[in-house]
Amino acid sequence: MPRWAVVVIFVVAGLAVIAGLYFAFRPASETTAPPATTAGTTEQTATTEETTTQETTTEAERATLRITVRGGEPVGGIQHLTVRKGQEVRVRVEADVADEVHVHGYDLMQDVAPGEEARIEFEATIVGRFEIELEDRGVPIAELEVRP
């Protein structure tokens, strides 16, 4: 194969990787509407059989993410919560396994065990997308997006 053909192949492959990374890590579109809010608390709840989402916001601007883990996996899949910068965030994890819940980016951790709910509360001061995982297992259980 001629040398120029090899160079072309590498350039095309490099561009494909760059395009893939752009789409994987691009910021949320400005045209995407934020979640609808009313009075109450923003709450996303995963039950043992299905996922139920209830979204509202109080005057204190609190958002609660409830995650149930069964067999080391989040029930209903990876949960998603979108909040605005400055909102108070509450993460509640109930699990049938012992592990540590880790909110990446904020570097917050709390032990969870059967019968012992992990509770993490903080103000969303950093804009971006942050994984929440069972640290020891390396299992993502939620994604937190903080918008400006």
Side-chain angles (χ1 to χ4, degrees), residues 11-79:
V11 169
V12 170
L15 290 173
V17 168
I18 290 171
L21 290 172
Y22 168 77
F23 285 108
F25 294 105
R26 70 181 172 182
S29 170
E30 292 300 321
T31 60
T32 303
T37 59
T38 57
T41 314
T42 299
E43 212 172 282
Q44 293 184 352
T45 306
T47 63
T48 55
E49 297 300 321
E50 60 185 80
T51 301
T52 304
T53 303
Q54 302 169 344
E55 294 187 22
T56 55
T57 304
T58 65
E59 296 157 13
E61 295 294 322
R62 291 189 189 127
T64 301
L65 179 60
R66 296 186 185 279
I67 306 157
T68 301
V69 175
R70 295 288 174 253
E73 296 290 329
V75 174
I78 296 173
Q79 302 299 303

Side-chain angles (χ1 to χ4, degrees), residues 128-148:
R129 291 183 183 169
F130 307 96
E131 179 181 72
I132 301 172
E133 74 171 342
L134 292 178
E135 185 70 14
D136 296 336
R137 286 176 172 69
V139 174
I141 58 174
E143 179 182 80
L144 171 67
E145 181 178 354
V146 180
R147 293 186 179 172

